[in-house]
Amino acid sequence: MSKSDRPTQSLTDRLFATERQPEDFRFDAAVARVFPDMIRRSVPGYTTIIPMIEVITEQYAQAGSNCYDLGCSLGASTLAMRHGIPFGDCALVGIDNSAAMIERCEHYIALDDHSLPVSLRCENIQNTELSDASVTTLNFTLQFVPPEERSALLSRIAKATRPGGVLILSEKIRFESEEEQDTQTRLHHEFKRANGYSDLEISQKRSAIEQVLIPETLSAHTQRLKESGFDRVMIWYQCFNFVSMLAIKAD
């Protein structure tokens, strides 16, 4: 294996830097290789959200419970949860349907210095088994689930969550006001430009992802979370059109 191919090497995202045939965005091997750089330069606040997942996990993890990272990709939030879980008898499970992501995630997990075991599953999160959970994370994952399948997934998560347990849900959102939507989208694009993306890269990435990533409003998320079985929903982080919410199941 060459040095540039090592899973721990963070490669620069240049996937959309040249003209390419339009196609839907996929979490394939090419994306997996540059994913850390891509998400850092594309998602405002990502470098804040990840360490805060550790803090939230420490507050809500329960002894003897299961903790899940649904759509774990390369395991950034999985590792944050691992370091936040204060009980040695918890089971931590990362799940993703991309074999390329899971393969590279295994390397990051192996390099981490924490002793809590992590199980990884290459499965569809809509079908994976969930039970006895105290903390579940959907970190920019639900937005890639078809809208008609989201309620069923959240209901399964809520049903599997212990009293006092939580769901950490991070999402790109859209706004009720067209003026705010335009402003927040423009600011997000300026964020990308400030991180070195060209207009061509921004345009081509947007075209590739717009049929795959379907954002919803905060009110839609809040209503569905409560209808699914969570009792309280609060926003703990927002930057432009990216938010992270905490859905809590009552004791």
Side-chain angles (χ1 to χ4, degrees), residues 211-228:
Q211 299 302 319
V212 180
L213 190 165
I214 312 296
E216 297 178 286
T217 63
L218 277 173
S219 59
H221 280 295
T222 299
Q223 179 179 347
R224 185 170 53 221
L225 285 164
K226 290 183 176 179
E227 290 174 349
S228 296

PDB file of all heavy atoms in Angstrom, residues 211-228:
ATOM      1  N   GLN A 211     -30.513  15.655  -5.562  1.00  0.00           N
ATOM      2  CA  GLN A 211     -31.534  14.612  -5.660  1.00  0.00           C
ATOM      3  C   GLN A 211     -31.340  13.509  -4.633  1.00  0.00           C
ATOM      4  O   GLN A 211     -32.157  12.593  -4.531  1.00  0.00           O
ATOM      5  CB  GLN A 211     -31.518  14.008  -7.072  1.00  0.00           C
ATOM      6  CG  GLN A 211     -31.818  14.987  -8.189  1.00  0.00           C
ATOM      7  CD  GLN A 211     -33.173  15.653  -8.031  1.00  0.00           C
ATOM      8  OE1 GLN A 211     -34.170  15.016  -7.668  1.00  0.00           O
ATOM      9  NE2 GLN A 211     -33.226  16.957  -8.298  1.00  0.00           N
ATOM     10  N   VAL A 212     -30.254  13.595  -3.867  1.00  0.00           N
ATOM     11  CA  VAL A 212     -29.913  12.557  -2.899  1.00  0.00           C
ATOM     12  C   VAL A 212     -30.098  13.051  -1.473  1.00  0.00           C
ATOM     13  O   VAL A 212     -30.597  12.340  -0.604  1.00  0.00           O
ATOM     14  CB  VAL A 212     -28.449  12.077  -3.111  1.00  0.00           C
ATOM     15  CG1 VAL A 212     -28.079  10.992  -2.108  1.00  0.00           C
ATOM     16  CG2 VAL A 212     -28.267  11.574  -4.537  1.00  0.00           C
ATOM     17  N   LEU A 213     -29.669  14.291  -1.222  1.00  0.00           N
ATOM     18  CA  LEU A 213     -29.808  14.916   0.094  1.00  0.00           C
ATOM     19  C   LEU A 213     -31.049  15.801   0.066  1.00  0.00           C
ATOM     20  O   LEU A 213     -31.071  16.830  -0.611  1.00  0.00           O
ATOM     21  CB  LEU A 213     -28.556  15.737   0.424  1.00  0.00           C
ATOM     22  CG  LEU A 213     -28.386  16.275   1.842  1.00  0.00           C
ATOM     23  CD1 LEU A 213     -26.928  16.719   2.063  1.00  0.00           C
ATOM     24  CD2 LEU A 213     -29.305  17.447   2.160  1.00  0.00           C
ATOM     25  N   ILE A 214     -32.094  15.390   0.789  1.00  0.00           N
ATOM     26  CA  ILE A 214     -33.367  16.120   0.780  1.00  0.00           C
ATOM     27  C   ILE A 214     -33.567  16.769   2.149  1.00  0.00           C
ATOM     28  O   ILE A 214     -33.952  16.101   3.118  1.00  0.00           O
ATOM     29  CB  ILE A 214     -34.555  15.180   0.472  1.00  0.00           C
ATOM     30  CG1 ILE A 214     -34.260  14.305  -0.755  1.00  0.00           C
ATOM     31  CG2 ILE A 214     -35.832  15.994   0.293  1.00  0.00           C
ATOM     32  CD1 ILE A 214     -34.081  15.067  -2.044  1.00  0.00           C
ATOM     33  N   PRO A 215     -33.300  18.081   2.286  1.00  0.00           N
ATOM     34  CA  PRO A 215     -33.442  18.739   3.589  1.00  0.00           C
ATOM     35  C   PRO A 215     -34.891  19.078   3.909  1.00  0.00           C
ATOM     36  O   PRO A 215     -35.728  19.199   3.006  1.00  0.00           O
ATOM     37  CB  PRO A 215     -32.601  20.008   3.434  1.00  0.00           C
ATOM     38  CG  PRO A 215     -32.666  20.317   1.976  1.00  0.00           C
ATOM     39  CD  PRO A 215     -32.774  18.992   1.266  1.00  0.00           C
ATOM     40  N   GLU A 216     -35.179  19.235   5.194  1.00  0.00           N
ATOM     41  CA  GLU A 216     -36.515  19.593   5.657  1.00  0.00           C
ATOM     42  C   GLU A 216     -36.413  20.738   6.653  1.00  0.00           C
ATOM     43  O   GLU A 216     -35.333  21.081   7.121  1.00  0.00           O
ATOM     44  CB  GLU A 216     -37.186  18.387   6.311  1.00  0.00           C
ATOM     45  CG  GLU A 216     -37.414  17.229   5.359  1.00  0.00           C
ATOM     46  CD  GLU A 216     -38.031  16.026   6.059  1.00  0.00           C
ATOM     47  OE1 GLU A 216     -37.275  15.361   6.802  1.00  0.00           O
ATOM     48  OE2 GLU A 216     -39.219  15.784   5.884  1.00  0.00           O
ATOM     49  N   THR A 217     -37.556  21.323   7.016  1.00  0.00           N
ATOM     50  CA  THR A 217     -37.565  22.440   7.950  1.00  0.00           C
ATOM     51  C   THR A 217     -37.427  21.942   9.391  1.00  0.00           C
ATOM     52  O   THR A 217     -37.698  20.777   9.698  1.00  0.00           O
ATOM     53  CB  THR A 217     -38.866  23.238   7.833  1.00  0.00           C
ATOM     54  OG1 THR A 217     -39.969  22.397   8.190  1.00  0.00           O
ATOM     55  CG2 THR A 217     -39.061  23.767   6.411  1.00  0.00           C
ATOM     56  N   LEU A 218     -37.033  22.848  10.266  1.00  0.00           N
ATOM     57  CA  LEU A 218     -36.936  22.513  11.683  1.00  0.00           C
ATOM     58  C   LEU A 218     -38.281  22.081  12.243  1.00  0.00           C
ATOM     59  O   LEU A 218     -38.359  21.152  13.056  1.00  0.00           O
ATOM     60  CB  LEU A 218     -36.401  23.709  12.473  1.00  0.00           C
ATOM     61  CG  LEU A 218     -34.888  23.904  12.490  1.00  0.00           C
ATOM     62  CD1 LEU A 218     -34.543  25.216  13.177  1.00  0.00           C
ATOM     63  CD2 LEU A 218     -34.203  22.735  13.171  1.00  0.00           C
ATOM     64  N   SER A 219     -39.351  22.759  11.838  1.00  0.00           N
ATOM     65  CA  SER A 219     -40.674  22.399  12.346  1.00  0.00           C
ATOM     66  C   SER A 219     -41.060  20.989  11.926  1.00  0.00           C
ATOM     67  O   SER A 219     -41.665  20.241  12.708  1.00  0.00           O
ATOM     68  CB  SER A 219     -41.722  23.404  11.873  1.00  0.00           C
ATOM     69  OG  SER A 219     -41.781  23.460  10.458  1.00  0.00           O
ATOM     70  N   ALA A 220     -40.700  20.597  10.700  1.00  0.00           N
ATOM     71  CA  ALA A 220     -40.993  19.238  10.243  1.00  0.00           C
ATOM     72  C   ALA A 220     -40.214  18.214  11.064  1.00  0.00           C
ATOM     73  O   ALA A 220     -40.756  17.171  11.461  1.00  0.00           O
ATOM     74  CB  ALA A 220     -40.658  19.096   8.761  1.00  0.00           C
ATOM     75  N   HIS A 221     -38.942  18.501  11.332  1.00  0.00           N
ATOM     76  CA  HIS A 221     -38.134  17.590  12.148  1.00  0.00           C
ATOM     77  C   HIS A 221     -38.697  17.459  13.557  1.00  0.00           C
ATOM     78  O   HIS A 221     -38.841  16.358  14.093  1.00  0.00           O
ATOM     79  CB  HIS A 221     -36.686  18.097  12.227  1.00  0.00           C
ATOM     80  CG  HIS A 221     -35.865  17.784  11.033  1.00  0.00           C
ATOM     81  ND1 HIS A 221     -35.530  16.507  10.655  1.00  0.00           N
ATOM     82  CD2 HIS A 221     -35.296  18.602  10.107  1.00  0.00           C
ATOM     83  CE1 HIS A 221     -34.786  16.535   9.564  1.00  0.00           C
ATOM     84  NE2 HIS A 221     -34.626  17.799   9.207  1.00  0.00           N
ATOM     85  N   THR A 222     -39.017  18.602  14.166  1.00  0.00           N
ATOM     86  CA  THR A 222     -39.510  18.590  15.546  1.00  0.00           C
ATOM     87  C   THR A 222     -40.821  17.832  15.658  1.00  0.00           C
ATOM     88  O   THR A 222     -40.998  16.995  16.566  1.00  0.00           O
ATOM     89  CB  THR A 222     -39.693  20.035  16.052  1.00  0.00           C
ATOM     90  OG1 THR A 222     -38.432  20.704  16.022  1.00  0.00           O
ATOM     91  CG2 THR A 222     -40.231  20.036  17.474  1.00  0.00           C
ATOM     92  N   GLN A 223     -41.741  18.096  14.745  1.00  0.00           N
ATOM     93  CA  GLN A 223     -43.038  17.416  14.784  1.00  0.00           C
ATOM     94  C   GLN A 223     -42.871  15.914  14.627  1.00  0.00           C
ATOM     95  O   GLN A 223     -43.479  15.128  15.356  1.00  0.00           O
ATOM     96  CB  GLN A 223     -43.944  17.965  13.684  1.00  0.00           C
ATOM     97  CG  GLN A 223     -45.315  17.300  13.641  1.00  0.00           C
ATOM     98  CD  GLN A 223     -46.206  17.879  12.547  1.00  0.00           C
ATOM     99  OE1 GLN A 223     -45.912  18.922  11.976  1.00  0.00           O
ATOM    100  NE2 GLN A 223     -47.293  17.181  12.252  1.00  0.00           N
ATOM    101  N   ARG A 224     -42.044  15.499  13.679  1.00  0.00           N
ATOM    102  CA  ARG A 224     -41.870  14.067  13.429  1.00  0.00           C
ATOM    103  C   ARG A 224     -41.185  13.377  14.601  1.00  0.00           C
ATOM    104  O   ARG A 224     -41.550  12.249  14.964  1.00  0.00           O
ATOM    105  CB  ARG A 224     -41.095  13.840  12.140  1.00  0.00           C
ATOM    106  CG  ARG A 224     -40.977  12.357  11.766  1.00  0.00           C
ATOM    107  CD  ARG A 224     -40.419  12.177  10.374  1.00  0.00           C
ATOM    108  NE  ARG A 224     -39.193  12.909  10.248  1.00  0.00           N
ATOM    109  CZ  ARG A 224     -38.853  13.619   9.158  1.00  0.00           C
ATOM    110  NH1 ARG A 224     -39.659  13.681   8.126  1.00  0.00           N
ATOM    111  NH2 ARG A 224     -37.707  14.258   9.125  1.00  0.00           N
ATOM    112  N   LEU A 225     -40.194  14.028  15.214  1.00  0.00           N
ATOM    113  CA  LEU A 225     -39.515  13.431  16.363  1.00  0.00           C
ATOM    114  C   LEU A 225     -40.495  13.195  17.507  1.00  0.00           C
ATOM    115  O   LEU A 225     -40.470  12.146  18.162  1.00  0.00           O
ATOM    116  CB  LEU A 225     -38.365  14.320  16.819  1.00  0.00           C
ATOM    117  CG  LEU A 225     -37.116  14.290  15.937  1.00  0.00           C
ATOM    118  CD1 LEU A 225     -36.208  15.474  16.247  1.00  0.00           C
ATOM    119  CD2 LEU A 225     -36.357  12.977  16.104  1.00  0.00           C
ATOM    120  N   LYS A 226     -41.389  14.154  17.745  1.00  0.00           N
ATOM    121  CA  LYS A 226     -42.370  14.004  18.819  1.00  0.00           C
ATOM    122  C   LYS A 226     -43.413  12.951  18.465  1.00  0.00           C
ATOM    123  O   LYS A 226     -43.824  12.154  19.317  1.00  0.00           O
ATOM    124  CB  LYS A 226     -43.018  15.349  19.123  1.00  0.00           C
ATOM    125  CG  LYS A 226     -42.061  16.315  19.800  1.00  0.00           C
ATOM    126  CD  LYS A 226     -42.733  17.630  20.176  1.00  0.00           C
ATOM    127  CE  LYS A 226     -41.773  18.531  20.944  1.00  0.00           C
ATOM    128  NZ  LYS A 226     -42.407  19.829  21.306  1.00  0.00           N
ATOM    129  N   GLU A 227     -43.832  12.924  17.216  1.00  0.00           N
ATOM    130  CA  GLU A 227     -44.788  11.905  16.791  1.00  0.00           C
ATOM    131  C   GLU A 227     -44.166  10.512  16.842  1.00  0.00           C
ATOM    132  O   GLU A 227     -44.880   9.514  17.017  1.00  0.00           O
ATOM    133  CB  GLU A 227     -45.279  12.207  15.375  1.00  0.00           C
ATOM    134  CG  GLU A 227     -46.191  13.432  15.287  1.00  0.00           C
ATOM    135  CD  GLU A 227     -46.549  13.787  13.862  1.00  0.00           C
ATOM    136  OE1 GLU A 227     -45.933  13.214  12.928  1.00  0.00           O
ATOM    137  OE2 GLU A 227     -47.438  14.641  13.674  1.00  0.00           O
ATOM    138  N   SER A 228     -42.846  10.433  16.719  1.00  0.00           N
ATOM    139  CA  SER A 228     -42.154   9.139  16.712  1.00  0.00           C
ATOM    140  C   SER A 228     -41.972   8.566  18.114  1.00  0.00           C
ATOM    141  O   SER A 228     -41.677   7.383  18.256  1.00  0.00           O
ATOM    142  CB  SER A 228     -40.780   9.283  16.046  1.00  0.00           C
ATOM    143  OG  SER A 228     -40.925   9.646  14.686  1.00  0.00           O
TER     144      SER A 228
END
